[in-house]
């Protein structure tokens, strides 16, 4: 794993909350980053990846599940801390022609935006943890 870079990762089996949220998603992905020493191991500390815009609807076994409401999509995101890495997972189901059209455009930008938001949160949390103790 490369430090300071979000990389595509296999969808983790331990991401059970998001796996149970949608039975047959149209799309799903996962991106992982290495945790630096002192970074939070609590996935709730990482919800800023999504700019705190989406409500947390579940929490279990090192995973936090968020509902992402957008243009008629059933979309979910989860943050899983597994070993020495944090993983952002997404799962999407388009329910009608409008949501399929919307997702048809957004899906091309989604990987870039997911990685960008993850790197920004990683840097912010690294900055908080690297501050000298008083």
């Amino acid at each position: 794993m490369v430090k300071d870079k979000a990389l595509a990762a296999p969808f983790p089996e331990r991401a059970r909350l998001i796996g149970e949220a949608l039975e047959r998603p149209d799309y799903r992905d996962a991106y992982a980053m290495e945790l630096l020493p002192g970074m939070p191991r609590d996935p709730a500390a990482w919800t800023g990846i999504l700019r705190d815009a989406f409500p947390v609807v579940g929490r279990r076994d090192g995973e936090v599940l968020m509902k992402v409401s957008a243009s008629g999509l059933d979309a979910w995101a989860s943050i899983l801390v597994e070993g020495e890495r944090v993983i952002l997972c997404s799962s999407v189901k388009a329910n009608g022609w409008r949501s399929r059209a919307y997702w048809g455009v957004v899906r091309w930008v989604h990987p870039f935006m997911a990685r960008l938001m993850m790197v920004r949160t990683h840097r912010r949390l690294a900055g908080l943890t690297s501050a000298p103790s008083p």
Side-chain angles (χ1 to χ4, degrees):
M1 183 149 311
V2 179
K3 290 184 182 184
D4 299 331
K5 189 168 184 178
L7 300 175
F11 205 82
E13 287 185 33
R14 278 199 52 229
R16 289 186 187 97
L17 288 175
I18 196 167
E20 295 166 2
L22 281 175
E23 189 173 319
R24 287 183 303 235
D26 296 324
Y27 176 90
R28 69 182 199 170
D29 64 11
Y31 300 98
M33 287 189 79
E34 183 178 330
L35 293 169
L36 301 175
M39 290 185 105
R41 297 319 198 241
D42 180 358
W46 291 86
T47 57
I49 287 173
L50 298 175
R51 302 211 184 255
D52 299 321
F54 306 109
V56 172
V57 296
R59 182 182 175 128
R60 184 174 70 208
D61 299 329
E63 181 183 14
V64 171
L65 180 67
M66 293 164 283
K67 174 73 172 156
V68 182
S69 298
S71 297
L73 294 173
D74 283 338
W76 300 85
S78 80
I79 299 168
L80 176 69
V81 174
E82 186 177 62
E84 294 301 311
R85 62 188 192 147
V86 59
I87 306 166
L88 172 63
C89 304
S90 303
S91 187
V92 177
K93 176 94 175 146
N95 296 313
W97 71 269
R98 286 183 188 197
S99 61
R100 281 191 294 277
Y102 174 79
W103 182 245
V105 173
V106 171
R107 70 178 280 171
W108 298 105
V109 184
H110 169 78
F112 171 77
M113 293 304 296
R115 288 179 173 132
L116 177 64
M117 291 185 295
M118 197 169 186
V119 167
R120 284 182 178 169
T121 302
H122 190 274
R123 286 181 183 157
R124 181 178 55 81
L125 291 173
L128 292 176
T129 60
S130 65
S133 300

